[in-house]
Amino acid sequence: MEKDVFCKIIDGEIPAHVVYEDNDVIAILDISQVTKGHTLVIPKKHYDTFLATPNEIMHKVMDVAQKIGQVMIDRLHAKGVNILTNCYEAAGQTVPHFHVHVIPRYEHGDGFILEMKNNAEDINLPALCNSIKTNL
Ligand code: AMP
């Protein structure tokens, strides 16, 4: 199977701007800077998505994402940070190797649009709640 782009970066086959690295995790600047400082935090071992990643590794990735988010506030003078991960193509995942986006936010209208509208009008919330709750 062809290596994904993050495996190639981790194996040193293609370059990246590495802001952090340890035995398990690497963080690089995203090649498309949605906002200035947009960073990806990636486990070195390949897992397809957040959902497929063992807890211990997922926690290490989130720990690095938290630290980078704080640096964006403290040093890049961001006013906020979006921390997100896309799971599967339907959710916008384009690289099938778990990664967390850390996206600093500078002001309203800084170029990144994250719209979460209320679409709950026709949804039976008690039944929905139950179907999630009973499967956890
Ligand atoms: P996603 O769409 O959530 O899977 O995010 C994948 C991200 O990887 C996108 O934001 C891309 O801009 C980024 N990306 C793709 N190739 C590279 C690369 N060679 N170096 C850094 N970031 C990359």
Side-chain angles (χ1 to χ4, degrees):
M1 208 170 82
E2 169 110 54
K3 270 188 196 174
D4 66 77
V5 67
F6 298 155
C7 280
K8 287 182 183 166
I9 288 170
I10 289 156
D11 291 347
E13 291 168 19
I14 58 174
H17 293 97
V18 178
V19 302
Y20 175 85
E21 186 167 15
D22 63 28
N23 286 338
D24 300 305
V25 178
I26 189 169
I28 62 171
L29 292 182
D30 195 302
I31 205 161
S32 323
Q33 292 280 288
V34 165
T35 63
K36 191 180 86 184
H38 179 186
T39 297
L40 302 171
V41 188
I42 307 164
K44 286 189 172 174
K45 189 159 179 213
H46 179 103
Y47 301 101
D48 287 350
T49 69
F50 166 82
L51 297 178
T53 303
N55 278 9
E56 191 195 343
I57 298 295
M58 185 264 287
H59 292 156
K60 286 181 178 175
V61 169
M62 295 311 288
D63 188 43
V64 174
Q66 185 186 49
K67 288 190 175 115
I68 291 171
Q70 193 59 53
V71 168
M72 286 168 178
I73 301 280
D74 294 341
R75 300 288 169 196
L76 294 189
H77 309 297
K79 299 278 184 273
V81 187
N82 289 106
I83 295 176
L84 61 92
T85 183
N86 300 321
C87 295
Y88 302 115
E89 264 181 61
Q93 185 176 8
T94 58
V95 179
H97 182 138
F98 170 43
H99 53 284
V100 171
H101 294 260
V102 185
I103 303 173
R105 304 303 302 274
Y106 296 97
E107 57 192 322
H108 212 60
D110 61 7
F112 180 50
I113 298 162
L114 182 69
E115 238 184 331
M116 298 213 199
K117 287 194 211 147
N118 178 19
N119 291 309
E121 276 158 35
D122 298 330
I123 298 173
N124 180 338
L125 292 179
L128 175 62
C129 180
N130 207 39
S131 71
I132 297 171
K133 188 162 60 177
T134 54
N135 285 290
L136 288 174

